[in-house]
Amino acid sequence: MIEKALTSADVEFVTTLHGDEPVRFHVLLQPRGEQADRLLRAIDDLAIGAVEEAVREGETPEGEEARSEGERALEVSLAALRAAGSTADGRLIEDHPLDALKSLVAEVGADEVIVLTDPHYVEEFFHRDWASRARHKVGVPVLKLFSHSKA
């Protein structure tokens, strides 16, 4: 589960987690739009000293614009995983990301879930981030990783 396009460092990281074992990736991407409260994102930015980022939170695309960016991010991520030699498919999700994740885990018989996002300090502190909530919902191990670049 991701919230933006994977960087080359992210791709290298996730594709080497299991050594030479063949891995198939089923990627779910939810665009940043309305799923995360702007105030929480701004507080996260301030916590790491990124004042300019906090000010720009109001510029985060929502609605159809977020969907278009999400579709492009998903295409880029899948192409990068495939170029690294992995099998990958994915889909954009708009509502209830954890329900979609639980359904996908059951549908494909996933062995584990990787949640790769930017740090969300406020949500993590209260265990309301995707990884913390997924651990109680999906029935397989959940690995939480931080993206190698800020969105």
Side-chain angles (χ1 to χ4, degrees):
M1 179 176 270
I2 60 176
E3 64 186 358
K4 65 179 184 175
L6 297 175
T7 66
S8 57
D10 294 332
V11 170
E12 182 179 353
F13 192 41
V14 298
T15 58
T16 59
L17 282 172
H18 295 287
D20 293 332
E21 224 178 289
V23 177
R24 179 177 179 93
F25 291 95
H26 302 276
V27 180
L28 294 180
L29 183 142
Q30 182 175 34
R32 285 191 63 186
E34 296 177 67
Q35 104 275 2
D37 181 74
R38 287 182 187 190
L39 176 61
L40 291 178
R41 291 194 314 259
I43 291 170
D44 285 342
D45 291 334
L46 291 172
I48 61 170
V51 176
E52 291 179 19
E53 292 294 323
V55 172
R56 284 197 292 258
E57 284 300 338
E59 300 169 7
T60 301
E62 294 186 2
E64 189 56 40
E65 186 181 348
R67 181 174 174 74
S68 296
E69 284 189 24
E71 288 170 348
R72 284 190 299 277
L74 182 60
E75 290 171 15
V76 166
S77 299
L78 294 175
L81 288 166
R82 292 172 186 144
S86 297
T87 304
D89 59 50
R91 60 184 171 228
L92 199 64
I93 51 175
E94 295 179 40
D95 297 314
H96 311 293
L98 295 175
D99 291 340
L101 182 60
K102 182 179 180 180
S103 295
L104 180 64
V105 166
E107 175 186 324
V108 301
D111 295 324
E112 75 178 348
V113 167
I114 298 171
V115 176
L116 192 140
T117 66
D118 287 330
H120 299 290
Y121 301 108
V122 175
E123 292 169 337
E124 290 166 24
F125 180 79
F126 292 106
H127 303 284
R128 300 302 303 154
D129 59 297
W130 285 347
S132 296
R133 292 172 27 207
R135 286 186 181 108
H136 301 287
K137 191 161 189 129
V138 298
V140 297
V142 176
L143 178 60
K144 177 172 145 181
L145 302 174
F146 292 124
S147 177
H148 284 77
S149 74
K150 185 80 172 128

